[in-house]
Amino acid sequence: MTTRHENEQLSAITVGAAQRPGTEPPCADGFHVHRKRDRVTAAVVDGAGHRDETVEFVAHAPGVITLMGMIMGGLVGLTTAGRMAEAYDRPSHVSAVYASMEPGRPTGIHWIGDCRAYGWDGTTLTQWSTDQTMGQWLRWNGGKTIEIVPAEVAETQDNLARLGLREATEMTCRQVEIPEDVPLVLLVSDGISDQVPEEAWRDLIRRYETDPQGLADALVAAARDGIDDETGEPYRDDATVVVLRRPTA
């Protein structure tokens, strides 16, 4: 079942968002979108596991990120939400990505963990964030490509996020600006990035390029079942996406 986030025509920026729980309930993804005049802030979070504490935390964290981000920026949004993790006896591991879009400015992106930000410039889909996973660390460290282990070994560690909101500081969070001429920005949990085939991304974006809600719904619907490494049973992760679109000239 898809949860729809209604488009609001309150500014030049249009928004679509959708979420589909995976095969293991309850859903441990979360998202939130906030508007203030012509500016939009959005966040997607992805909790590891499905403990009650995790599900509760991901219900609160996205709104904290977007509201604090609106006033004080994405770094403060992530670090503030991260401090909330310590309110629980068993703090959860949660990845997060945040975007701030407004007319006349680049789209600001902040993230920690392995939630991702993509941009579509009309012809090319670009991943603007870099996963903070053990696999990525094994490929790249100290400012250059290294070969600590063979590439096939690094690939086995891509599902292990090294950092999450609990560890969010000015030193651990990452930031990038997507140029203003990139009209479409997508924030996704790994239930989208890992389980939607790459060719499907481009086909769906071309089909729904001017319809953010249609694109969000189509992407979560396209998430395919994988095979659980431990049980050998079909498994689909929670899938969440927020699509931000600024008008083109």
Side-chain angles (χ1 to χ4, degrees):
M1 178 179 180
T2 296
T3 301
R4 296 175 63 94
H5 180 86
E6 295 181 359
N7 288 340
E8 298 178 38
Q9 301 297 331
L10 300 181
S11 75
I13 295 166
T14 53
V15 181
Q19 183 178 86
R20 184 173 69 163
T23 51
E24 181 181 344
C27 183
D29 280 1
F31 71 91
H32 190 257
V33 177
H34 182 64
R35 295 178 182 267
K36 184 178 181 182
R37 293 186 287 274
D38 286 341
R39 185 179 172 204
V40 176
T41 57
V44 167
V45 304
D46 181 1
H50 300 266
R51 292 188 290 111
D52 291 343
E53 299 99 318
T54 302
V55 174
E56 181 177 284
F57 183 48
V58 301
H60 295 298
V64 172
I65 295 170
T66 59
L67 294 173
M68 291 300 295
M70 180 66 74
I71 303 304
M72 301 187 71
L75 176 60
V76 174
L78 293 180
T79 55
T80 301
R83 300 292 72 75
M84 290 166 43
E86 299 299 333
Y88 298 91
D89 290 329
R90 296 184 297 171
S92 300
H93 182 91
V94 177
S95 296
V97 61
Y98 161 90
S100 174
M101 181 183 283
E102 59 186 305
R105 296 182 62 86
T107 301
I109 302 294
H110 289 77
W111 77 95
I112 190 163
D114 62 356
C115 288
R116 291 183 179 180
Y118 290 87
W120 173 260
D121 64 6
T123 57
T124 302
L125 180 68
T126 301
Q127 180 183 336
W128 284 88
S129 60
T130 302
D131 296 344
Q132 291 175 307
T133 62
M134 182 58 71
Q136 188 64 18
W137 184 85
L138 290 170
R139 295 184 187 92
W140 181 267
N141 192 26
K144 61 181 180 180
T145 300
I146 56 177
E147 295 182 358
I148 296 179
V149 297
E152 59 269 20
V153 175
E155 290 176 1
T156 68
Q157 303 302 307
D158 282 340
N159 64 342
L160 177 60
R162 295 178 57 246
L163 297 169
L165 282 176
R166 186 185 183 191
E167 295 81 34
T169 69
E170 66 276 9
M171 298 299 292
T172 57
C173 295
R174 301 292 303 276
Q175 176 183 1
V176 72
E177 288 189 335
I178 301 178
E180 185 188 353
D181 60 2
V182 177
L184 203 65
V185 172
L186 302 91
L187 308 181
V188 303
S189 67
D190 63 2
I192 297 290
S193 56
D194 288 351
Q195 295 185 289
V196 177
E198 185 173 331
E199 62 274 12
W201 278 83
R202 292 172 176 80
D203 291 343
L204 292 174
I205 289 174
R206 291 188 182 98
R207 187 184 310 172
Y208 295 103
E209 189 169 357
T210 61
D211 179 7
Q213 186 58 57
L215 177 56
D217 287 335
L219 280 170
V220 298
R224 295 181 178 176
D225 289 358
I227 299 298
D228 187 280
D229 292 335
E230 296 182 1
T231 67
E233 298 294 324
Y235 175 78
R236 188 185 67 251
D237 201 358
D238 303 327
T240 303
V241 57
V242 173
V243 181
L244 307 175
R245 183 180 184 273
R246 65 170 83 239
T248 56

